[in-house]
Amino acid sequence: MAPLLIAILSFWLRMWHLATPKGYTFDEVYYVDGARDLLHYGVEVTGSSPEFIVHPPVGKWCIALGVKLFGNNEFGWRISSALVGAITIYLVALIAQRLFGSKSLSTLAALLMALDGLHLVHSRTALLDLFLTFFILLAVYAWLKERYWLAGIWFGLAIGTKWSAIYFLAAFALILIYQDYIRSRAEESRELLKTILKRVAQFSVLPLGVYIASWTGWFMSARGWDRQWAQTHPSAWKFIPDSLRSLWHYHAEIWHFHTTLTQHHSYQANPWSWLVMARPTSFFYASPNTCGAKQCAQEVLALGTPILWWLGTLAIAVVFGFWISSALKGEIDKVAGFILLGIVAGYLPWFFFQKRTVFSFYAIVFEPFLILALVYCAKKFLGVAPQSRNRRLIVGFVVLVIALNFFYFLPLFNASVISYDAWSHRMWLPSWI
């Protein structure tokens, strides 16, 4: 009940003045517009003409649900993100319970997730990345419970939100196949080929089917971008339907966009700096005159709670150390391996796109695993059966410091109007401005 209560309280914090700031925040201008188009036409358009878009439709359908229920306004745009943000807090707790088998540690995981500013900002903004995180967490939780068909469905929806989910699918599928291989050798089983074929169906055929189904609006509408491309570009492969060839062409154009996006942005951040939040993204900034001071500031800064992320960076290193130590002893630490697998899948691929325009807020997708790394370290520090009151007090003190740090930066997470001096005092690093 404790993680559930934390999630409910966090939902209230996300709902508080959810319609602030007014107007579009950062890339809401693209995704809200896309969500409205999906509601009206099933595809995205510009005026009466087809619109080339570079992300699949699932995340925008999630935003569209809020618009449908609550109207075309700031609250309607963001309500789906707020709800999903609260649910992801509970999902992290469920995963922690599965990994550590401890109610207190699962509560700690939920609390740390709830005390992060980056997660709060995503929960109050109509972007795609939190929906991506949501579907990945659902897939990973199903994977942990060995419900692999269900995991395949969730992975398909994650890829239908953003293509970067493919890295998670590949990582967890390959690890599972490797585990099947080791098990078959140990049991001298002859069922390995059959098992591998089943894994291919669960983590390839099924997710692909779900992904293609997510484009139903594009298939059913003549307004879809290059929907009729195949009809004017004959192919020797007559057995492939024109609609699928047109979709393949569309995806080739999307791939070209993503791999050649090098336009400079003032808030772009190299992946090397993400963990320490060296260059957070400013989603919104204004200078109203309503704070009673000579100068006022109002900002939405996609900044992870600094102390939490800095400690999380150290925690990842500690988890890696324990995993290496266990591997050298021939006794693989599966919990450490699971945490590292999620971080590798969500973080490492971005290092191969050094010239691409990327932002630190993309880190939200592997943040749950950073939280799990902190919980892992807490468990190691406390011991299997903690008897030391002092150690529990130290963990509690660290959580208190993180909470104080979170509430200190809260005005930058929820667009509160504060004096310019108060805003300036929160700019701990020059690169945050």
Side-chain angles (χ1 to χ4, degrees), residues 59-80:
K60 284 164 282 188
W61 275 115
C62 294
I63 297 170
L65 179 61
V67 174
K68 181 69 175 178
L69 294 176
F70 296 96
N72 180 26
N73 52 62
E74 290 83 357
F75 185 88
W77 304 343
R78 299 164 188 162
I79 181 60
S80 294

Side-chain angles (χ1 to χ4, degrees), residues 372-390:
L372 293 172
L374 282 165
V375 176
Y376 177 96
C377 291
K379 182 178 181 180
K380 290 292 185 181
F381 180 70
L382 292 171
V384 178
Q387 302 296 327
S388 171
R389 180 172 178 270
N390 290 337

Side-chain angles (χ1 to χ4, degrees), residues 24-39 44 51 53-65 67 72 77 81 122 125-131 161-162 257-258 261 283 356 359 361-362:
Y24 298 119
T25 299
F26 200 60
D27 281 352
E28 282 185 340
V29 63
Y30 303 114
Y31 303 133
V32 172
D33 179 65
R36 289 192 296 245
D37 287 346
L38 290 176
L39 283 175
E44 288 161 282
E51 181 180 5
I53 55 96
V54 296
H55 290 299
V58 172
K60 284 164 282 188
W61 275 115
C62 294
I63 297 170
L65 179 61
V67 174
N72 180 26
W77 304 343
S81 296
H122 272 284
T125 312
L127 302 185
L128 303 181
D129 301 84
L130 189 61
F131 299 109
T161 303
K162 267 193 167 184
F257 172 88
H258 284 304
L261 180 61
F283 282 4
R356 191 186 187 278
F359 303 90
F361 69 84
Y362 295 171

Side-chain angles (χ1 to χ4, degrees), residues 298-318:
Q298 182 184 26
E299 185 170 26
V300 177
L301 186 65
L303 171 70
T305 303
I307 293 177
L308 185 149
W309 277 81
W310 296 341
L311 289 176
T313 302
L314 296 175
I316 292 172
V318 171

Side-chain angles (χ1 to χ4, degrees), residues 12 62 72 158 198 228 263 275 306 327 341 416:
W12 174 84
C62 294
N72 180 26
K198 184 167 73 171
Q228 313 300 330
Q263 183 178 358
L275 284 176
L341 185 65
S416 295

Side-chain angles (χ1 to χ4, degrees), residues 188 216-217 263 363:
E188 297 183 357
T216 299
Q263 183 178 358

Side-chain angles (χ1 to χ4, degrees), residues 118-191:
L118 182 64
H119 187 265
L120 177 59
V121 168
H122 272 284
S123 301
R124 294 173 54 86
T125 312
L127 302 185
L128 303 181
D129 301 84
L130 189 61
F131 299 109
L132 170 66
T133 306
F134 170 65
F135 289 122
I136 285 175
L137 287 176
L138 286 172
V140 167
Y141 184 54
W143 187 92
L144 276 174
K145 297 178 69 176
E146 299 184 2
R147 300 181 65 181
Y148 301 125
W149 291 105
L150 183 59
I153 293 173
W154 293 128
F155 274 129
L157 290 171
I159 298 169
T161 303
K162 267 193 167 184
W163 283 3
S164 52
I166 292 174
Y167 302 122
F168 282 90
L169 183 149
F172 283 91
L174 290 174
I175 287 297
L176 183 59
I177 291 173
Y178 175 73
Q179 291 174 348
D180 291 333
Y181 170 72
I182 296 299
R183 191 180 303 114
S184 68
R185 288 189 59 184
E187 299 174 356
E188 297 183 357
S189 172
R190 298 181 180 180
E191 299 293 318

